[in-house]
Amino acid sequence: MLAVLQKTIDATCFSIDLYQSLFDKINDNEKRKQQLQLFLKHGQKQYQLFQYLHFLMNGASYEHKPCHIVHDSLHDLIDAALFNEMKKINGYYELFTSLTGTKKQVTMQALQHSLQCAETLLEMVEEVNLE
């Protein structure tokens, strides 16, 4: 379970970077910028919570490996963010089925948020494809 948690922390950190890049790329859609700001804020909270969970389970914070973003186009960034959300959803679900109590509740909230992010990213894919 620790390996799944570590992969989830990596994916959460990568999401933060992807959402920041998307935020910087979107110029004229204020609604999407606001959504991305909320995703960034929530992603940072998730990162802190799962680092804390790792600390509780392992006695130390997880030293994650930074992922570098190599996508230039808006379409590629959205695709990468959507793929990364799917990885997080799988990790959160696996953690959810293994945990109990408060840890399970925290994981459920993260899972719900990732599903919302994925839904918004799918909408963004449609918008970009229509342009």
Side-chain angles (χ1 to χ4, degrees):
M1 182 170 41
L2 198 56
V4 173
L5 180 58
Q6 291 170 346
K7 287 179 185 178
T8 303
I9 292 171
D10 287 335
T12 302
C13 186
F14 190 46
S15 284
I16 293 167
D17 293 342
L18 286 166
Y19 289 139
Q20 185 62 56
S21 293
L22 279 169
F23 182 85
D24 295 341
K25 284 269 188 200
I26 295 177
N27 297 322
D28 58 350
N29 192 329
E30 194 59 37
K31 175 186 171 188
R32 294 296 182 214
K33 284 182 96 73
Q34 288 175 353
Q35 287 174 318
L36 290 168
Q37 279 182 320
L38 290 173
F39 292 171
L40 280 164
K41 189 176 182 179
H42 198 275
Q44 291 163 343
K45 287 181 184 177
Q46 284 179 341
Y47 175 78
Q48 292 170 347
L49 285 170
F50 283 100
Q51 278 286 20
Y52 181 65
L53 183 59
H54 189 278
F55 180 81
L56 291 175
M57 294 171 66
N58 197 42
S61 295
Y62 174 60
E63 295 294 327
H64 61 87
K65 300 171 190 164
C67 294
H68 300 288
I69 298 173
V70 295
H71 306 288
D72 288 331
S73 76
L74 181 61
H75 189 274
D76 288 346
L77 280 170
I78 294 169
D79 285 349
L82 181 57
F83 180 73
N84 193 60
E85 281 303 325
M86 299 311 293
K87 287 178 18 182
K88 285 174 33 183
I89 288 168
N90 287 332
Y92 292 154
Y93 181 75
E94 192 171 338
L95 289 171
F96 176 77
T97 59
S98 302
L99 298 173
T100 60
T102 304
K103 295 173 189 172
K104 187 172 191 146
Q105 290 174 336
V106 167
T107 304
M108 175 54 94
Q109 290 174 352
L111 178 59
Q112 289 171 336
H113 183 265
S114 283
L115 288 167
Q116 291 170 343
C117 290
E119 181 181 2
T120 299
L121 289 166
L122 282 171
E123 291 170 4
M124 291 174 74
V125 166
E126 290 175 4
E127 289 170 6
V128 170
N129 285 339
L130 289 176
E131 293 176 356

PDB file of all heavy atoms in Angstrom, residues 19-48:
ATOM      1  N   TYR A  19      -1.678  21.738 -13.876  1.00  0.00           N
ATOM      2  CA  TYR A  19      -2.724  22.754 -13.739  1.00  0.00           C
ATOM      3  C   TYR A  19      -2.135  24.165 -13.787  1.00  0.00           C
ATOM      4  O   TYR A  19      -2.755  25.071 -14.342  1.00  0.00           O
ATOM      5  CB  TYR A  19      -3.542  22.544 -12.470  1.00  0.00           C
ATOM      6  CG  TYR A  19      -4.433  21.333 -12.553  1.00  0.00           C
ATOM      7  CD1 TYR A  19      -4.590  20.477 -11.483  1.00  0.00           C
ATOM      8  CD2 TYR A  19      -5.110  21.033 -13.731  1.00  0.00           C
ATOM      9  CE1 TYR A  19      -5.400  19.355 -11.582  1.00  0.00           C
ATOM     10  CE2 TYR A  19      -5.922  19.918 -13.834  1.00  0.00           C
ATOM     11  CZ  TYR A  19      -6.057  19.085 -12.753  1.00  0.00           C
ATOM     12  OH  TYR A  19      -6.853  17.973 -12.857  1.00  0.00           O
ATOM     13  N   GLN A  20      -0.945  24.333 -13.240  1.00  0.00           N
ATOM     14  CA  GLN A  20      -0.294  25.646 -13.336  1.00  0.00           C
ATOM     15  C   GLN A  20       0.036  25.965 -14.788  1.00  0.00           C
ATOM     16  O   GLN A  20      -0.178  27.091 -15.244  1.00  0.00           O
ATOM     17  CB  GLN A  20       0.973  25.695 -12.469  1.00  0.00           C
ATOM     18  CG  GLN A  20       1.617  27.062 -12.449  1.00  0.00           C
ATOM     19  CD  GLN A  20       0.709  28.124 -11.854  1.00  0.00           C
ATOM     20  OE1 GLN A  20       0.236  27.990 -10.732  1.00  0.00           O
ATOM     21  NE2 GLN A  20       0.439  29.185 -12.606  1.00  0.00           N
ATOM     22  N   SER A  21       0.529  24.990 -15.535  1.00  0.00           N
ATOM     23  CA  SER A  21       0.833  25.201 -16.952  1.00  0.00           C
ATOM     24  C   SER A  21      -0.433  25.499 -17.756  1.00  0.00           C
ATOM     25  O   SER A  21      -0.434  26.373 -18.628  1.00  0.00           O
ATOM     26  CB  SER A  21       1.542  23.984 -17.544  1.00  0.00           C
ATOM     27  OG  SER A  21       2.811  23.838 -16.971  1.00  0.00           O
ATOM     28  N   LEU A  22      -1.512  24.768 -17.465  1.00  0.00           N
ATOM     29  CA  LEU A  22      -2.786  25.036 -18.131  1.00  0.00           C
ATOM     30  C   LEU A  22      -3.289  26.441 -17.805  1.00  0.00           C
ATOM     31  O   LEU A  22      -3.762  27.156 -18.689  1.00  0.00           O
ATOM     32  CB  LEU A  22      -3.835  24.001 -17.720  1.00  0.00           C
ATOM     33  CG  LEU A  22      -3.788  22.665 -18.427  1.00  0.00           C
ATOM     34  CD1 LEU A  22      -4.697  21.653 -17.733  1.00  0.00           C
ATOM     35  CD2 LEU A  22      -4.194  22.825 -19.884  1.00  0.00           C
ATOM     36  N   PHE A  23      -3.185  26.814 -16.558  1.00  0.00           N
ATOM     37  CA  PHE A  23      -3.608  28.148 -16.136  1.00  0.00           C
ATOM     38  C   PHE A  23      -2.856  29.217 -16.929  1.00  0.00           C
ATOM     39  O   PHE A  23      -3.435  30.206 -17.372  1.00  0.00           O
ATOM     40  CB  PHE A  23      -3.393  28.330 -14.637  1.00  0.00           C
ATOM     41  CG  PHE A  23      -3.852  29.654 -14.111  1.00  0.00           C
ATOM     42  CD1 PHE A  23      -5.178  29.843 -13.750  1.00  0.00           C
ATOM     43  CD2 PHE A  23      -2.968  30.716 -13.982  1.00  0.00           C
ATOM     44  CE1 PHE A  23      -5.616  31.070 -13.271  1.00  0.00           C
ATOM     45  CE2 PHE A  23      -3.398  31.944 -13.506  1.00  0.00           C
ATOM     46  CZ  PHE A  23      -4.725  32.124 -13.143  1.00  0.00           C
ATOM     47  N   ASP A  24      -1.558  29.005 -17.099  1.00  0.00           N
ATOM     48  CA  ASP A  24      -0.737  29.967 -17.831  1.00  0.00           C
ATOM     49  C   ASP A  24      -1.072  30.015 -19.321  1.00  0.00           C
ATOM     50  O   ASP A  24      -0.901  31.044 -19.970  1.00  0.00           O
ATOM     51  CB  ASP A  24       0.751  29.643 -17.653  1.00  0.00           C
ATOM     52  CG  ASP A  24       1.215  29.812 -16.206  1.00  0.00           C
ATOM     53  OD1 ASP A  24       0.522  30.506 -15.424  1.00  0.00           O
ATOM     54  OD2 ASP A  24       2.261  29.226 -15.861  1.00  0.00           O
ATOM     55  N   LYS A  25      -1.559  28.913 -19.883  1.00  0.00           N
ATOM     56  CA  LYS A  25      -1.879  28.821 -21.312  1.00  0.00           C
ATOM     57  C   LYS A  25      -3.250  29.383 -21.662  1.00  0.00           C
ATOM     58  O   LYS A  25      -3.462  29.839 -22.774  1.00  0.00           O
ATOM     59  CB  LYS A  25      -1.828  27.366 -21.793  1.00  0.00           C
ATOM     60  CG  LYS A  25      -0.453  26.822 -21.971  1.00  0.00           C
ATOM     61  CD  LYS A  25      -0.012  27.071 -23.376  1.00  0.00           C
ATOM     62  CE  LYS A  25       1.309  26.340 -23.610  1.00  0.00           C
ATOM     63  NZ  LYS A  25       2.016  26.882 -24.724  1.00  0.00           N
ATOM     64  N   ILE A  26      -4.186  29.307 -20.729  1.00  0.00           N
ATOM     65  CA  ILE A  26      -5.549  29.755 -21.012  1.00  0.00           C
ATOM     66  C   ILE A  26      -5.621  31.253 -20.757  1.00  0.00           C
ATOM     67  O   ILE A  26      -5.473  31.708 -19.628  1.00  0.00           O
ATOM     68  CB  ILE A  26      -6.574  28.993 -20.145  1.00  0.00           C
ATOM     69  CG1 ILE A  26      -6.571  27.515 -20.513  1.00  0.00           C
ATOM     70  CG2 ILE A  26      -7.956  29.593 -20.306  1.00  0.00           C
ATOM     71  CD1 ILE A  26      -7.479  26.670 -19.675  1.00  0.00           C
ATOM     72  N   ASN A  27      -5.887  31.985 -21.831  1.00  0.00           N
ATOM     73  CA  ASN A  27      -5.876  33.442 -21.718  1.00  0.00           C
ATOM     74  C   ASN A  27      -7.263  34.057 -21.624  1.00  0.00           C
ATOM     75  O   ASN A  27      -7.466  35.003 -20.880  1.00  0.00           O
ATOM     76  CB  ASN A  27      -5.150  34.053 -22.923  1.00  0.00           C
ATOM     77  CG  ASN A  27      -3.694  33.632 -22.961  1.00  0.00           C
ATOM     78  OD1 ASN A  27      -3.052  33.527 -21.932  1.00  0.00           O
ATOM     79  ND2 ASN A  27      -3.189  33.376 -24.143  1.00  0.00           N
ATOM     80  N   ASP A  28      -8.202  33.541 -22.366  1.00  0.00           N
ATOM     81  CA  ASP A  28      -9.464  34.243 -22.530  1.00  0.00           C
ATOM     82  C   ASP A  28     -10.672  33.556 -21.893  1.00  0.00           C
ATOM     83  O   ASP A  28     -11.792  33.995 -22.087  1.00  0.00           O
ATOM     84  CB  ASP A  28      -9.737  34.462 -24.016  1.00  0.00           C
ATOM     85  CG  ASP A  28      -9.772  33.151 -24.797  1.00  0.00           C
ATOM     86  OD1 ASP A  28      -9.401  32.113 -24.227  1.00  0.00           O
ATOM     87  OD2 ASP A  28     -10.165  33.174 -25.973  1.00  0.00           O
ATOM     88  N   ASN A  29     -10.466  32.520 -21.132  1.00  0.00           N
ATOM     89  CA  ASN A  29     -11.596  31.808 -20.541  1.00  0.00           C
ATOM     90  C   ASN A  29     -11.514  31.918 -19.015  1.00  0.00           C
ATOM     91  O   ASN A  29     -10.878  31.103 -18.344  1.00  0.00           O
ATOM     92  CB  ASN A  29     -11.586  30.338 -20.988  1.00  0.00           C
ATOM     93  CG  ASN A  29     -12.874  29.630 -20.645  1.00  0.00           C
ATOM     94  OD1 ASN A  29     -13.519  29.942 -19.653  1.00  0.00           O
ATOM     95  ND2 ASN A  29     -13.236  28.664 -21.476  1.00  0.00           N
ATOM     96  N   GLU A  30     -12.182  32.935 -18.490  1.00  0.00           N
ATOM     97  CA  GLU A  30     -12.106  33.216 -17.057  1.00  0.00           C
ATOM     98  C   GLU A  30     -12.692  32.076 -16.220  1.00  0.00           C
ATOM     99  O   GLU A  30     -12.181  31.763 -15.144  1.00  0.00           O
ATOM    100  CB  GLU A  30     -12.830  34.533 -16.754  1.00  0.00           C
ATOM    101  CG  GLU A  30     -12.523  35.079 -15.384  1.00  0.00           C
ATOM    102  CD  GLU A  30     -11.036  35.360 -15.159  1.00  0.00           C
ATOM    103  OE1 GLU A  30     -10.330  35.801 -16.076  1.00  0.00           O
ATOM    104  OE2 GLU A  30     -10.579  35.113 -14.025  1.00  0.00           O
ATOM    105  N   LYS A  31     -13.753  31.440 -16.718  1.00  0.00           N
ATOM    106  CA  LYS A  31     -14.368  30.320 -15.993  1.00  0.00           C
ATOM    107  C   LYS A  31     -13.355  29.197 -15.803  1.00  0.00           C
ATOM    108  O   LYS A  31     -13.212  28.656 -14.703  1.00  0.00           O
ATOM    109  CB  LYS A  31     -15.582  29.807 -16.761  1.00  0.00           C
ATOM    110  CG  LYS A  31     -16.225  28.580 -16.157  1.00  0.00           C
ATOM    111  CD  LYS A  31     -17.327  28.031 -17.039  1.00  0.00           C
ATOM    112  CE  LYS A  31     -17.808  26.692 -16.537  1.00  0.00           C
ATOM    113  NZ  LYS A  31     -18.724  26.037 -17.454  1.00  0.00           N
ATOM    114  N   ARG A  32     -12.645  28.833 -16.864  1.00  0.00           N
ATOM    115  CA  ARG A  32     -11.653  27.758 -16.773  1.00  0.00           C
ATOM    116  C   ARG A  32     -10.485  28.162 -15.877  1.00  0.00           C
ATOM    117  O   ARG A  32      -9.965  27.342 -15.125  1.00  0.00           O
ATOM    118  CB  ARG A  32     -11.153  27.363 -18.162  1.00  0.00           C
ATOM    119  CG  ARG A  32     -12.209  26.736 -19.033  1.00  0.00           C
ATOM    120  CD  ARG A  32     -12.693  25.421 -18.460  1.00  0.00           C
ATOM    121  NE  ARG A  32     -13.682  24.814 -19.339  1.00  0.00           N
ATOM    122  CZ  ARG A  32     -14.696  24.103 -18.907  1.00  0.00           C
ATOM    123  NH1 ARG A  32     -14.875  23.891 -17.628  1.00  0.00           N
ATOM    124  NH2 ARG A  32     -15.542  23.579 -19.760  1.00  0.00           N
ATOM    125  N   LYS A  33     -10.081  29.409 -15.933  1.00  0.00           N
ATOM    126  CA  LYS A  33      -8.991  29.866 -15.069  1.00  0.00           C
ATOM    127  C   LYS A  33      -9.376  29.734 -13.595  1.00  0.00           C
ATOM    128  O   LYS A  33      -8.568  29.301 -12.774  1.00  0.00           O
ATOM    129  CB  LYS A  33      -8.599  31.296 -15.411  1.00  0.00           C
ATOM    130  CG  LYS A  33      -7.785  31.421 -16.683  1.00  0.00           C
ATOM    131  CD  LYS A  33      -7.370  32.843 -16.959  1.00  0.00           C
ATOM    132  CE  LYS A  33      -6.023  33.188 -16.499  1.00  0.00           C
ATOM    133  NZ  LYS A  33      -4.864  32.722 -17.160  1.00  0.00           N
ATOM    134  N   GLN A  34     -10.628  30.076 -13.282  1.00  0.00           N
ATOM    135  CA  GLN A  34     -11.093  29.951 -11.899  1.00  0.00           C
ATOM    136  C   GLN A  34     -11.139  28.484 -11.474  1.00  0.00           C
ATOM    137  O   GLN A  34     -10.758  28.146 -10.343  1.00  0.00           O
ATOM    138  CB  GLN A  34     -12.469  30.595 -11.737  1.00  0.00           C
ATOM    139  CG  GLN A  34     -12.449  32.090 -11.796  1.00  0.00           C
ATOM    140  CD  GLN A  34     -13.829  32.711 -11.750  1.00  0.00           C
ATOM    141  OE1 GLN A  34     -14.847  32.020 -11.809  1.00  0.00           O
ATOM    142  NE2 GLN A  34     -13.879  34.032 -11.642  1.00  0.00           N
ATOM    143  N   GLN A  35     -11.594  27.615 -12.382  1.00  0.00           N
ATOM    144  CA  GLN A  35     -11.624  26.191 -12.060  1.00  0.00           C
ATOM    145  C   GLN A  35     -10.213  25.670 -11.819  1.00  0.00           C
ATOM    146  O   GLN A  35      -9.974  24.914 -10.866  1.00  0.00           O
ATOM    147  CB  GLN A  35     -12.279  25.403 -13.196  1.00  0.00           C
ATOM    148  CG  GLN A  35     -13.765  25.587 -13.271  1.00  0.00           C
ATOM    149  CD  GLN A  35     -14.366  24.919 -14.490  1.00  0.00           C
ATOM    150  OE1 GLN A  35     -13.805  24.983 -15.588  1.00  0.00           O
ATOM    151  NE2 GLN A  35     -15.504  24.278 -14.300  1.00  0.00           N
ATOM    152  N   LEU A  36      -9.281  26.075 -12.669  1.00  0.00           N
ATOM    153  CA  LEU A  36      -7.907  25.618 -12.508  1.00  0.00           C
ATOM    154  C   LEU A  36      -7.289  26.144 -11.222  1.00  0.00           C
ATOM    155  O   LEU A  36      -6.523  25.428 -10.565  1.00  0.00           O
ATOM    156  CB  LEU A  36      -7.066  26.023 -13.726  1.00  0.00           C
ATOM    157  CG  LEU A  36      -7.411  25.269 -15.011  1.00  0.00           C
ATOM    158  CD1 LEU A  36      -6.749  25.924 -16.211  1.00  0.00           C
ATOM    159  CD2 LEU A  36      -7.005  23.802 -14.906  1.00  0.00           C
ATOM    160  N   GLN A  37      -7.636  27.366 -10.831  1.00  0.00           N
ATOM    161  CA  GLN A  37      -7.143  27.882  -9.547  1.00  0.00           C
ATOM    162  C   GLN A  37      -7.652  27.024  -8.386  1.00  0.00           C
ATOM    163  O   GLN A  37      -6.898  26.728  -7.456  1.00  0.00           O
ATOM    164  CB  GLN A  37      -7.578  29.331  -9.346  1.00  0.00           C
ATOM    165  CG  GLN A  37      -6.717  30.333 -10.054  1.00  0.00           C
ATOM    166  CD  GLN A  37      -7.163  31.759  -9.778  1.00  0.00           C
ATOM    167  OE1 GLN A  37      -8.354  32.052  -9.723  1.00  0.00           O
ATOM    168  NE2 GLN A  37      -6.199  32.632  -9.605  1.00  0.00           N
ATOM    169  N   LEU A  38      -8.923  26.635  -8.459  1.00  0.00           N
ATOM    170  CA  LEU A  38      -9.477  25.766  -7.419  1.00  0.00           C
ATOM    171  C   LEU A  38      -8.797  24.397  -7.432  1.00  0.00           C
ATOM    172  O   LEU A  38      -8.515  23.827  -6.379  1.00  0.00           O
ATOM    173  CB  LEU A  38     -10.984  25.611  -7.591  1.00  0.00           C
ATOM    174  CG  LEU A  38     -11.823  26.846  -7.278  1.00  0.00           C
ATOM    175  CD1 LEU A  38     -13.286  26.614  -7.649  1.00  0.00           C
ATOM    176  CD2 LEU A  38     -11.701  27.213  -5.808  1.00  0.00           C
ATOM    177  N   PHE A  39      -8.539  23.867  -8.629  1.00  0.00           N
ATOM    178  CA  PHE A  39      -7.853  22.576  -8.739  1.00  0.00           C
ATOM    179  C   PHE A  39      -6.452  22.665  -8.142  1.00  0.00           C
ATOM    180  O   PHE A  39      -6.000  21.742  -7.463  1.00  0.00           O
ATOM    181  CB  PHE A  39      -7.764  22.119 -10.189  1.00  0.00           C
ATOM    182  CG  PHE A  39      -9.085  21.755 -10.819  1.00  0.00           C
ATOM    183  CD1 PHE A  39      -9.151  21.500 -12.161  1.00  0.00           C
ATOM    184  CD2 PHE A  39     -10.257  21.676 -10.076  1.00  0.00           C
ATOM    185  CE1 PHE A  39     -10.359  21.160 -12.770  1.00  0.00           C
ATOM    186  CE2 PHE A  39     -11.464  21.338 -10.663  1.00  0.00           C
ATOM    187  CZ  PHE A  39     -11.518  21.075 -12.017  1.00  0.00           C
ATOM    188  N   LEU A  40      -5.765  23.769  -8.396  1.00  0.00           N
ATOM    189  CA  LEU A  40      -4.423  23.966  -7.832  1.00  0.00           C
ATOM    190  C   LEU A  40      -4.474  23.999  -6.308  1.00  0.00           C
ATOM    191  O   LEU A  40      -3.687  23.325  -5.634  1.00  0.00           O
ATOM    192  CB  LEU A  40      -3.812  25.273  -8.347  1.00  0.00           C
ATOM    193  CG  LEU A  40      -3.200  25.239  -9.717  1.00  0.00           C
ATOM    194  CD1 LEU A  40      -2.982  26.652 -10.253  1.00  0.00           C
ATOM    195  CD2 LEU A  40      -1.886  24.486  -9.673  1.00  0.00           C
ATOM    196  N   LYS A  41      -5.402  24.768  -5.790  1.00  0.00           N
ATOM    197  CA  LYS A  41      -5.548  24.892  -4.333  1.00  0.00           C
ATOM    198  C   LYS A  41      -5.862  23.539  -3.702  1.00  0.00           C
ATOM    199  O   LYS A  41      -5.252  23.148  -2.704  1.00  0.00           O
ATOM    200  CB  LYS A  41      -6.645  25.911  -4.036  1.00  0.00           C
ATOM    201  CG  LYS A  41      -6.776  26.305  -2.608  1.00  0.00           C
ATOM    202  CD  LYS A  41      -7.840  27.395  -2.491  1.00  0.00           C
ATOM    203  CE  LYS A  41      -7.985  27.864  -1.072  1.00  0.00           C
ATOM    204  NZ  LYS A  41      -8.978  28.928  -0.948  1.00  0.00           N
ATOM    205  N   HIS A  42      -6.801  22.824  -4.295  1.00  0.00           N
ATOM    206  CA  HIS A  42      -7.186  21.529  -3.748  1.00  0.00           C
ATOM    207  C   HIS A  42      -6.066  20.507  -3.920  1.00  0.00           C
ATOM    208  O   HIS A  42      -5.826  19.682  -3.044  1.00  0.00           O
ATOM    209  CB  HIS A  42      -8.473  21.025  -4.406  1.00  0.00           C
ATOM    210  CG  HIS A  42      -9.132  19.945  -3.619  1.00  0.00           C
ATOM    211  ND1 HIS A  42      -8.776  18.630  -3.730  1.00  0.00           N
ATOM    212  CD2 HIS A  42     -10.112  19.996  -2.695  1.00  0.00           C
ATOM    213  CE1 HIS A  42      -9.507  17.904  -2.910  1.00  0.00           C
ATOM    214  NE2 HIS A  42     -10.329  18.703  -2.278  1.00  0.00           N
ATOM    215  N   GLY A  43      -5.365  20.572  -5.048  1.00  0.00           N
ATOM    216  CA  GLY A  43      -4.234  19.672  -5.278  1.00  0.00           C
ATOM    217  C   GLY A  43      -3.138  19.849  -4.235  1.00  0.00           C
ATOM    218  O   GLY A  43      -2.537  18.873  -3.778  1.00  0.00           O
ATOM    219  N   GLN A  44      -2.888  21.092  -3.865  1.00  0.00           N
ATOM    220  CA  GLN A  44      -1.882  21.350  -2.834  1.00  0.00           C
ATOM    221  C   GLN A  44      -2.314  20.789  -1.488  1.00  0.00           C
ATOM    222  O   GLN A  44      -1.503  20.239  -0.739  1.00  0.00           O
ATOM    223  CB  GLN A  44      -1.592  22.847  -2.758  1.00  0.00           C
ATOM    224  CG  GLN A  44      -0.872  23.350  -3.992  1.00  0.00           C
ATOM    225  CD  GLN A  44      -0.912  24.847  -4.154  1.00  0.00           C
ATOM    226  OE1 GLN A  44      -1.719  25.541  -3.540  1.00  0.00           O
ATOM    227  NE2 GLN A  44      -0.044  25.364  -5.011  1.00  0.00           N
ATOM    228  N   LYS A  45      -3.610  20.898  -1.189  1.00  0.00           N
ATOM    229  CA  LYS A  45      -4.126  20.313   0.060  1.00  0.00           C
ATOM    230  C   LYS A  45      -4.011  18.785   0.023  1.00  0.00           C
ATOM    231  O   LYS A  45      -3.630  18.164   1.018  1.00  0.00           O
ATOM    232  CB  LYS A  45      -5.580  20.725   0.290  1.00  0.00           C
ATOM    233  CG  LYS A  45      -5.752  22.151   0.711  1.00  0.00           C
ATOM    234  CD  LYS A  45      -7.208  22.470   0.939  1.00  0.00           C
ATOM    235  CE  LYS A  45      -7.399  23.930   1.267  1.00  0.00           C
ATOM    236  NZ  LYS A  45      -8.826  24.281   1.420  1.00  0.00           N
ATOM    237  N   GLN A  46      -4.366  18.196  -1.129  1.00  0.00           N
ATOM    238  CA  GLN A  46      -4.245  16.743  -1.268  1.00  0.00           C
ATOM    239  C   GLN A  46      -2.798  16.310  -1.062  1.00  0.00           C
ATOM    240  O   GLN A  46      -2.531  15.322  -0.375  1.00  0.00           O
ATOM    241  CB  GLN A  46      -4.713  16.297  -2.650  1.00  0.00           C
ATOM    242  CG  GLN A  46      -6.183  16.267  -2.833  1.00  0.00           C
ATOM    243  CD  GLN A  46      -6.564  15.843  -4.241  1.00  0.00           C
ATOM    244  OE1 GLN A  46      -5.758  15.903  -5.162  1.00  0.00           O
ATOM    245  NE2 GLN A  46      -7.798  15.428  -4.406  1.00  0.00           N
ATOM    246  N   TYR A  47      -1.891  17.032  -1.679  1.00  0.00           N
ATOM    247  CA  TYR A  47      -0.470  16.708  -1.547  1.00  0.00           C
ATOM    248  C   TYR A  47      -0.065  16.710  -0.081  1.00  0.00           C
ATOM    249  O   TYR A  47       0.571  15.768   0.405  1.00  0.00           O
ATOM    250  CB  TYR A  47       0.370  17.702  -2.346  1.00  0.00           C
ATOM    251  CG  TYR A  47       1.849  17.517  -2.163  1.00  0.00           C
ATOM    252  CD1 TYR A  47       2.522  16.495  -2.831  1.00  0.00           C
ATOM    253  CD2 TYR A  47       2.580  18.338  -1.322  1.00  0.00           C
ATOM    254  CE1 TYR A  47       3.874  16.308  -2.660  1.00  0.00           C
ATOM    255  CE2 TYR A  47       3.939  18.164  -1.150  1.00  0.00           C
ATOM    256  CZ  TYR A  47       4.579  17.140  -1.814  1.00  0.00           C
ATOM    257  OH  TYR A  47       5.921  16.956  -1.641  1.00  0.00           O
ATOM    258  N   GLN A  48      -0.446  17.745   0.662  1.00  0.00           N
ATOM    259  CA  GLN A  48      -0.103  17.830   2.078  1.00  0.00           C
ATOM    260  C   GLN A  48      -0.738  16.703   2.888  1.00  0.00           C
ATOM    261  O   GLN A  48      -0.082  16.099   3.752  1.00  0.00           O
ATOM    262  CB  GLN A  48      -0.518  19.189   2.637  1.00  0.00           C
ATOM    263  CG  GLN A  48       0.291  20.339   2.076  1.00  0.00           C
ATOM    264  CD  GLN A  48      -0.290  21.698   2.444  1.00  0.00           C
ATOM    265  OE1 GLN A  48      -1.424  21.801   2.915  1.00  0.00           O
ATOM    266  NE2 GLN A  48       0.490  22.739   2.221  1.00  0.00           N
TER     267      GLN A  48
END
